[in-house]
Amino acid sequence: MKAEGGYLISQIKQVSARIFEKMLAKAGIDEFNGAQGRILYVLWQNDNIPIVELSKKTGLAKTTLTSMLDRMEGANLISRVYDSKDRRQIRIVLTEHARTLSDKYEDVSEQMVNVYYTGFSEEEVLFFENTLRRVLNNLQEKENTNDKGYERANNGFSG
């Protein structure tokens, strides 16, 4: 059996990102891109969180996240504030401007969900998403148990 799951997931990610960018533009959302929207989405659910937690919830490496947060801060979407209990820890907080964009983003996200699942039954969606969760859990377990000294296998896809 030739397994193509990783390749397919990579292709889905690339194509869906392009479609999502077009949908954001069509909706008149030019304050942020799709990748930044993922960060904002997490913050709209749970604002005022440390960078480490934001990294875990978005799946973005801290180095990638830091440069994206720099751009988002420059665009008046987020601000960095020192934790009142631990000045060494910086928390990420939404600006009022970013809070006003949540509803428009949710509308575009709902449109994207409709594109993803056109022709799927509710049972198929549940099965598919549960299967993806299993793959994600497998990957996270591998990442967590091999933190030191493992070589990355190149399976023909990134991510």
Side-chain angles (χ1 to χ4, degrees):
M1 173 178 102
K2 181 179 177 187
E4 294 186 310
Y7 172 77
L8 293 170
I9 289 169
S10 179
Q11 292 296 302
I12 290 167
K13 181 181 177 192
Q14 291 174 18
V15 174
S16 65
R18 290 192 300 266
I19 293 169
F20 196 65
E21 292 291 339
K22 288 177 185 174
M23 288 179 166
L24 287 173
K26 187 175 180 182
I29 300 173
D30 58 3
E31 292 89 350
F32 59 88
N33 61 33
Q36 293 168 338
R38 181 167 40 157
I39 295 167
L40 290 170
Y41 178 79
V42 168
L43 292 169
W44 285 321
Q45 310 308 307
N46 189 12
D47 194 9
N48 191 15
I49 60 175
I51 291 176
V52 173
E53 186 176 339
L54 186 58
S55 174
K56 286 178 186 172
K57 290 186 177 208
T58 60
L60 296 168
K62 284 188 277 184
T63 52
T64 303
L65 186 59
T66 300
S67 61
M68 291 178 73
L69 292 174
D70 288 343
R71 289 190 295 280
M72 293 174 73
E73 193 168 29
N76 190 33
L77 296 170
I78 60 103
S79 60
R80 293 173 169 107
V81 296
Y82 287 102
D83 189 301
S84 59
K85 296 177 184 147
D86 182 356
R87 298 251 326 136
R88 294 171 297 173
Q89 189 172 78
I90 296 175
R91 302 179 78 79
I92 307 303
V93 179
L94 289 169
T95 63
E96 284 303 316
H97 175 62
R99 285 187 184 94
T100 66
L101 302 171
S102 175
D103 289 342
K104 286 168 71 174
Y105 182 84
E106 283 295 324
D107 290 344
V108 174
S109 292
E110 185 63 32
Q111 292 172 34
M112 195 67 196
V113 167
N114 291 333
V115 171
Y116 277 136
Y117 295 125
T118 298
F120 281 69
S121 69
E122 188 173 332
E123 293 79 22
E124 288 173 316
V125 171
L126 290 172
F127 179 79
F128 174 67
E129 290 186 352
N130 285 331
T131 302
L132 288 176
R133 280 186 197 91
R134 287 177 58 196
V135 170
L136 179 60
N137 287 336
N138 289 343
L139 292 169
Q140 288 172 332
E141 186 176 307
K142 180 69 172 172
E143 181 179 48
N144 293 335
T145 58
N146 289 324
D147 282 345
K148 298 177 190 166
Y150 74 94
E151 294 180 31
R152 290 186 186 190
N154 183 351
N155 294 323
F157 64 95
S158 60

